[in-house]
Amino acid sequence: MKVKLSFLALLAVALIVLFLFIHLGPNWDYALPRRLKKVLAIAITGGAIAYATLIFQTITNNRILTPSVIGLDSLYMLIQTFVIYVFGSMSLPSTNKQLNFFITVGLMIAFVGVLYKLLFKREGRNLYFLLLIGLVLGTLFGSMSTFMQVLIDPNEFLIVQGRMFASFNNVNTDLLVISIIIIALVAAYSTRLGKYLDVMSLGKEHAVNLGIPYDYIVKRMLVIVAILIAVSTALVGPITFLGLLVVNVAYQFMRTYRHSILIPGAILISIIALVGGQLIVERVFAFETTVSVIINFIGGAYFLYLLLREKKA
Amino acid sequence: MIEVRNVSKAYGGKPVIEEVSVGIKKGKITSFIGPNGAGKSTLLSMISRLLTKDSGQVLIEGKELSDWKSKDLAKKISILKQSNHINLRLTVRELVSFGRFPYSQGKLTKEDWEQVDEAIAYMDLVDLQGKYLDELSGGQNQRAFIAMVIAQNTEYILLDEPLNNLDMKHSVQIMKVLRRLVEELGKTVILVIHDINFASCYSDYIVALKNGKIVKEGSTETIIDSAILKEIYDMDIPIEIINGNRIGIYFS
Ligand SMILES: Nc1ncnc2c1ncn2[C@@H]1O[C@H](COP(=O)(O)OP(=O)(O)OP(=O)(O)O)[C@@H](O)[C@H]1O
Ligand SMILES: [Mg+2]
């Protein structure tokens, strides 16, 4: 186990070093800080998404779900489209990254809060009810975005389209710092709940039998997941399949149920996938595509494989 | 002791348990019997807080379930459901070690592991302890789950059809283990069981449910009786005394 984790850590470090120094050229005092910032953004969002997805799968007891099923990605797109549709791409909420970031994060967390109220207002509603509502609302948001995208000016649409895919190319430094602080705080808080994760993955009834305050933990975990996903999506854009991909690879590679090993494993794999993907984008495709296209392509194929395998088993 | 007072549960307006009250004696084996759909599992789940009750009270040592801290309750009462499925790939020993969570919160001490090994030995699983659950037969799986409950080492042990999937030898073995837990360690066992003859040979008290209500309760000798069984199951079951046990001949 230790060996596997060390291997992943080494690979991640090697890729990061490669990413930082490959073809650095004479203007390194300009390029290096930019690359460092990019790597930092990749590491923090990749880590947050992997961690959030792992927790989400554990509390829902399902290995083919990602937090985006509760509609966070579609809500992000809806907000971006709506702002451009109503105010135009040159308006303050669209161009001012800070403002946009806080509006987006605020609305996403408010959205999860509302879902929550629906779920826990009455007893007996289960987690799947929340997923169902999230799925329905996610589809609704998606259709509303498409509707507005059809109506707007084609030039404006290009800007919307640019936001459909995650990009690490112009991450705002201030926002990066804020995101790192928020994610670090949330992650630090969540370690207090870490000891429950293994037992939670046995399922609700076993967890309750073993003395876990189930509803209390699920509520807190969901908030943690929502904040992590909201912050990373608002920072770089949606990468729907990344979490699903890396968590499942982590399960297959680490071959354990222990979260103390799965969590660092998934985070490292996520960083490897993103840094590797970004390298390919920059060096092979010369920025012709974005890393989220590559990740979504691989992730989507892997997802199909998982579904087919589930069906056979 | 466990006291159930006027507990009710309905699903979609249809009552499944109606105003049930029953006291469970400490240091005894109490069996719940009754036809399919009578509400046995529902009642057991409510006693063990897996299911919320619509009304009524469940008192464990005089304290209502909801007033207990979940962590303390997990050291007092354990439950094994009728069917158990786990999404993880676990070995038998790993599964059983989860039974120690209420005590160790995940960091098992040497004593915890001793209890795990003891539970594995009790359930005759020593040779299988390194195997993954998905490599086991249905009965072996069932024994692994029972071992987990034994490792949890609670005063009250609730088992929903623990003999599910077990062959005769292991059924007898588990009932003997349960008797030993009661007699040597003073545990209190409540189980749901379909075979009235196992209920007759191994339990002290029997509670019979039908249509969400308790139709009969009492000591084993009083319940294992043709007239009473007829009332519960609508079946003529002659009773013979064999080796001092009351055996119902229900095959024909
Ligand atoms: N989740 C549920 N939703 C709706 N009805 C339910 C639910 N669970 C149980 N019931 C109904 O409640 C009744 C009692 O079920 P329960 O599982 O308690 O029966 P049981 O006595 O354990 O039966 P068996 O011997 O078959 O295990 C049944 O009629 C069943 O259909
Ligand atoms: Mg049942």
Side-chain angles (χ1 to χ4, degrees), chain A residues 3-294:
Chain A
V3 179
K4 285 182 184 173
L5 277 184
S6 319
F7 168 75
L8 289 178
L10 264 174
L11 187 57
V13 170
L15 278 171
I16 288 174
V17 169
L18 186 64
F19 183 83
L20 287 178
F21 295 106
I22 190 170
H23 296 310
L24 197 51
N27 296 327
W28 63 268
D29 53 339
Y30 168 74
L32 196 59
R34 281 182 62 93
R35 289 186 182 187
L36 255 174
K37 203 177 79 186
K38 227 190 246 183
V39 158
L40 211 54
I42 287 177
I44 197 79
T45 49
I49 290 170
Y51 183 55
T53 308
L54 182 58
I55 297 182
F56 189 74
Q57 292 194 349
T58 296
I59 59 178
T60 54
N61 241 289
N62 191 316
R63 288 265 295 276
I64 53 176
L65 286 182
T66 91
S68 67
V69 301
I70 58 176
L72 284 176
D73 285 3
S74 359
L75 179 61
Y76 171 80
M77 272 325 294
L78 179 63
I79 297 169
Q80 298 307 320
T81 313
F82 182 81
V83 163
I84 292 179
Y85 176 71
V86 175
F87 304 110
S89 63
M90 298 318 284
S91 68
L92 203 60
S94 176
T95 49
N96 183 320
K97 286 198 167 180
Q98 272 92 339
L99 185 61
N100 190 298
F101 179 85
F102 286 112
I103 291 177
T104 315
V105 171
L107 283 176
M108 282 164 109
I109 291 173
F111 168 69
V112 173
V114 171
L115 272 188
Y116 233 71
K117 276 270 178 311
L118 284 176
L119 176 66
F120 292 105
K121 187 178 60 184
R122 255 180 49 193
E123 245 190 304
R125 293 265 168 90
N126 60 26
L127 209 52
Y128 291 99
F129 183 76
L130 174 117
L131 299 187
L132 191 67
I133 299 266
L135 198 68
V136 171
L137 288 179
T139 314
L140 177 70
F141 295 159
S143 325
M144 284 161 68
S145 311
T146 314
F147 179 69
M148 284 186 257
Q149 284 159 14
V150 177
L151 293 182
I152 54 178
D153 181 88
N155 292 320
E156 305 266 85
F157 177 69
L158 282 181
I159 297 183
V160 175
Q161 201 184 26
R163 298 197 183 157
M164 284 184 199
F165 303 103
S167 159
F168 298 99
N169 291 331
N170 341 287
V171 175
N172 183 293
T173 314
D174 293 344
L175 293 183
L176 182 59
V177 172
I178 295 170
S179 304
I180 290 176
I181 293 172
I182 298 176
I183 289 175
L185 284 177
V186 171
Y189 170 74
S190 72
T191 52
R192 296 199 327 179
L193 307 175
K195 66 180 178 191
Y196 296 121
L197 285 171
D198 290 348
V199 186
M200 298 284 284
S201 54
L202 294 179
K204 177 172 180 179
E205 285 170 342
H206 288 292
V208 171
N209 174 46
L210 292 170
I212 296 211
Y214 187 82
D215 285 346
Y216 175 90
I217 305 285
V218 166
K219 281 186 196 174
R220 293 211 168 27
M221 294 286 190
L222 271 178
V223 174
I224 290 168
V225 168
I227 296 177
L228 291 178
I229 296 292
V231 170
S232 45
T233 308
L235 186 68
V236 300
I239 330 180
T240 311
F241 283 114
L242 177 73
L244 185 72
L245 179 70
V246 299
V247 169
N248 276 286
V249 171
Y251 268 107
Q252 292 222 320
F253 185 68
M254 306 309 295
R255 298 220 157 263
T256 179
Y257 63 91
R258 291 204 174 80
H259 285 78
S260 55
I261 294 163
L262 286 170
I263 290 171
I267 290 176
L268 287 171
I269 290 171
S270 185
I271 293 173
I272 292 168
L274 281 183
V275 177
Q278 188 70 25
L279 264 175
I280 294 174
V281 167
E282 295 185 7
R283 303 297 154 200
V284 180
F285 293 104
F287 290 101
E288 287 291 315
T289 180
T290 69
V291 65
S292 68
V293 171
I294 293 185

Side-chain angles (χ1 to χ4, degrees), chain A residues 57 60-63 123-124 128 194-215 251 255-259 262 310, chain B residues 45 48-50 52 70-71 73-74 77-81 83-90 94-95 97-102 105-106 113 132 145 148-149 152:
Chain A
Q57 292 194 349
T60 54
N61 241 289
N62 191 316
R63 288 265 295 276
E123 245 190 304
Y128 291 99
K195 66 180 178 191
Y196 296 121
L197 285 171
D198 290 348
V199 186
M200 298 284 284
S201 54
L202 294 179
K204 177 172 180 179
E205 285 170 342
H206 288 292
V208 171
N209 174 46
L210 292 170
I212 296 211
Y214 187 82
D215 285 346
Y251 268 107
R255 298 220 157 263
T256 179
Y257 63 91
R258 291 204 174 80
H259 285 78
L262 286 170
E310 286 277 298
Chain B
S45 294
S48 57
R49 56 118 165 54
L50 292 191
T52 52
S70 24
K71 194 175 141 190
L73 205 53
I77 181 168
S78 55
I79 165 108
L80 182 65
K81 298 262 299 184
S83 58
N84 293 284
H85 178 73
I86 280 187
N87 267 332
L88 298 181
R89 225 173 115 77
L90 291 179
E94 285 167 346
L95 177 75
S97 72
F98 272 108
R100 298 306 298 166
F101 188 84
Q105 301 292 301
W113 284 113
Y132 283 96
F145 279 102
M148 169 166 119
V149 170
Q152 202 177 335

Side-chain angles (χ1 to χ4, degrees), chain B residues 33-40 82 161 192 194 209-212 232-233:
Chain B
I33 63 168
N36 289 137
K40 306 178 296 291
Q82 191 166 356
E161 297 189 30
V192 174
H194 275 299
L209 281 129
K210 191 177 178 179
N211 297 329
I232 304 168
Y233 291 104

Side-chain angles (χ1 to χ4, degrees), chain B residues 119-169:
Chain B
I120 288 172
Y122 253 62
M123 279 297 113
D124 201 9
L125 288 166
V126 178
D127 295 338
L128 297 174
Q129 59 177 315
K131 280 215 165 193
Y132 283 96
L133 293 177
D134 54 10
E135 301 166 355
L136 300 182
S137 74
Q140 292 165 340
N141 242 297
Q142 178 74 356
R143 274 151 57 206
F145 279 102
I146 296 175
M148 169 166 119
V149 170
I150 290 178
Q152 202 177 335
N153 193 15
T154 53
E155 205 168 320
Y156 299 95
I157 301 172
L158 277 57
L159 302 165
D160 196 348
E161 297 189 30
L163 305 186
N164 232 347
N165 287 324
L166 296 185
D167 61 31
M168 285 171 293
K169 176 179 160 219

